[in-house]
PDB file of all heavy atoms in Angstrom:
ATOM      1  N   THR A 376      99.454 136.919  96.772  1.00 95.00           N
ATOM      2  CA  THR A 376     100.891 136.915  96.482  1.00 95.00           C
ATOM      3  C   THR A 376     101.654 136.166  97.562  1.00 95.00           C
ATOM      4  O   THR A 376     102.557 135.365  97.271  1.00 95.00           O
ATOM      5  CB  THR A 376     101.420 138.348  96.372  1.00 95.00           C
ATOM      6  OG1 THR A 376     100.768 139.008  95.284  1.00 95.00           O
ATOM      7  CG2 THR A 376     102.928 138.359  96.132  1.00 95.00           C
ATOM      8  N   LEU A 377     101.284 136.402  98.818  1.00 96.00           N
ATOM      9  CA  LEU A 377     101.946 135.701  99.916  1.00 96.00           C
ATOM     10  C   LEU A 377     101.696 134.204  99.828  1.00 96.00           C
ATOM     11  O   LEU A 377     102.620 133.397 100.010  1.00 96.00           O
ATOM     12  CB  LEU A 377     101.442 136.243 101.262  1.00 96.00           C
ATOM     13  CG  LEU A 377     102.030 135.583 102.518  1.00 96.00           C
ATOM     14  CD1 LEU A 377     103.548 135.757 102.563  1.00 96.00           C
ATOM     15  CD2 LEU A 377     101.380 136.147 103.767  1.00 96.00           C
ATOM     16  N   GLY A 378     100.468 133.818  99.511  1.00 96.00           N
ATOM     17  CA  GLY A 378     100.157 132.399  99.380  1.00 96.00           C
ATOM     18  C   GLY A 378     100.939 131.736  98.259  1.00 96.00           C
ATOM     19  O   GLY A 378     101.460 130.624  98.414  1.00 96.00           O
ATOM     20  N   ALA A 379     101.050 132.429  97.121  1.00 96.00           N
ATOM     21  CA  ALA A 379     101.811 131.879  95.990  1.00 96.00           C
ATOM     22  C   ALA A 379     103.290 131.769  96.329  1.00 96.00           C
ATOM     23  O   ALA A 379     103.963 130.814  95.917  1.00 96.00           O
ATOM     24  CB  ALA A 379     101.607 132.752  94.757  1.00 96.00           C
ATOM     25  N   LEU A 380     103.806 132.742  97.081  1.00 97.00           N
ATOM     26  CA  LEU A 380     105.213 132.700  97.469  1.00 97.00           C
ATOM     27  C   LEU A 380     105.482 131.520  98.410  1.00 97.00           C
ATOM     28  O   LEU A 380     106.495 130.816  98.263  1.00 97.00           O
ATOM     29  CB  LEU A 380     105.608 134.019  98.142  1.00 97.00           C
ATOM     30  CG  LEU A 380     107.044 134.085  98.707  1.00 97.00           C
ATOM     31  CD1 LEU A 380     108.074 133.781  97.625  1.00 97.00           C
ATOM     32  CD2 LEU A 380     107.298 135.451  99.344  1.00 97.00           C
ATOM     33  N   ILE A 381     104.596 131.290  99.351  1.00 97.00           N
ATOM     34  CA  ILE A 381     104.772 130.159 100.273  1.00 97.00           C
ATOM     35  C   ILE A 381     104.778 128.844  99.500  1.00 97.00           C
ATOM     36  O   ILE A 381     105.597 127.954  99.756  1.00 97.00           O
ATOM     37  CB  ILE A 381     103.663 130.177 101.347  1.00 97.00           C
ATOM     38  CG1 ILE A 381     103.887 131.340 102.311  1.00 97.00           C
ATOM     39  CG2 ILE A 381     103.633 128.850 102.116  1.00 97.00           C
ATOM     40  CD1 ILE A 381     102.778 131.524 103.328  1.00 97.00           C
ATOM     41  N   LEU A 382     103.889 128.714  98.513  1.00 96.00           N
ATOM     42  CA  LEU A 382     103.863 127.502  97.700  1.00 96.00           C
ATOM     43  C   LEU A 382     105.158 127.360  96.920  1.00 96.00           C
ATOM     44  O   LEU A 382     105.732 126.263  96.817  1.00 96.00           O
ATOM     45  CB  LEU A 382     102.664 127.532  96.747  1.00 96.00           C
ATOM     46  CG  LEU A 382     102.580 126.369  95.753  1.00 96.00           C
ATOM     47  CD1 LEU A 382     102.469 125.028  96.496  1.00 96.00           C
ATOM     48  CD2 LEU A 382     101.385 126.548  94.813  1.00 96.00           C
ATOM     49  N   HIS A 383     105.649 128.479  96.365  1.00 97.00           N
ATOM     50  CA  HIS A 383     106.906 128.431  95.606  1.00 97.00           C
ATOM     51  C   HIS A 383     108.067 127.990  96.492  1.00 97.00           C
ATOM     52  O   HIS A 383     108.882 127.139  96.089  1.00 97.00           O
ATOM     53  CB  HIS A 383     107.185 129.815  95.016  1.00 97.00           C
ATOM     54  CG  HIS A 383     108.520 129.907  94.343  1.00 97.00           C
ATOM     55  ND1 HIS A 383     108.764 129.392  93.086  1.00 97.00           N
ATOM     56  CD2 HIS A 383     109.710 130.436  94.776  1.00 97.00           C
ATOM     57  CE1 HIS A 383     110.034 129.599  92.757  1.00 97.00           C
ATOM     58  NE2 HIS A 383     110.626 130.231  93.770  1.00 97.00           N
ATOM     59  N   LEU A 384     108.147 128.520  97.704  1.00 97.00           N
ATOM     60  CA  LEU A 384     109.242 128.164  98.602  1.00 97.00           C
ATOM     61  C   LEU A 384     109.117 126.717  99.090  1.00 97.00           C
ATOM     62  O   LEU A 384     110.125 126.025  99.254  1.00 97.00           O
ATOM     63  CB  LEU A 384     109.271 129.124  99.794  1.00 97.00           C
ATOM     64  CG  LEU A 384     109.656 130.571  99.477  1.00 97.00           C
ATOM     65  CD1 LEU A 384     109.573 131.426 100.730  1.00 97.00           C
ATOM     66  CD2 LEU A 384     111.057 130.651  98.859  1.00 97.00           C
TER      67      LEU A 384
END
Side-chain angles (χ1 to χ4, degrees):
T376 298
L377 179 60
L380 175 56
I381 289 175
L382 175 61
H383 174 78
L384 292 177

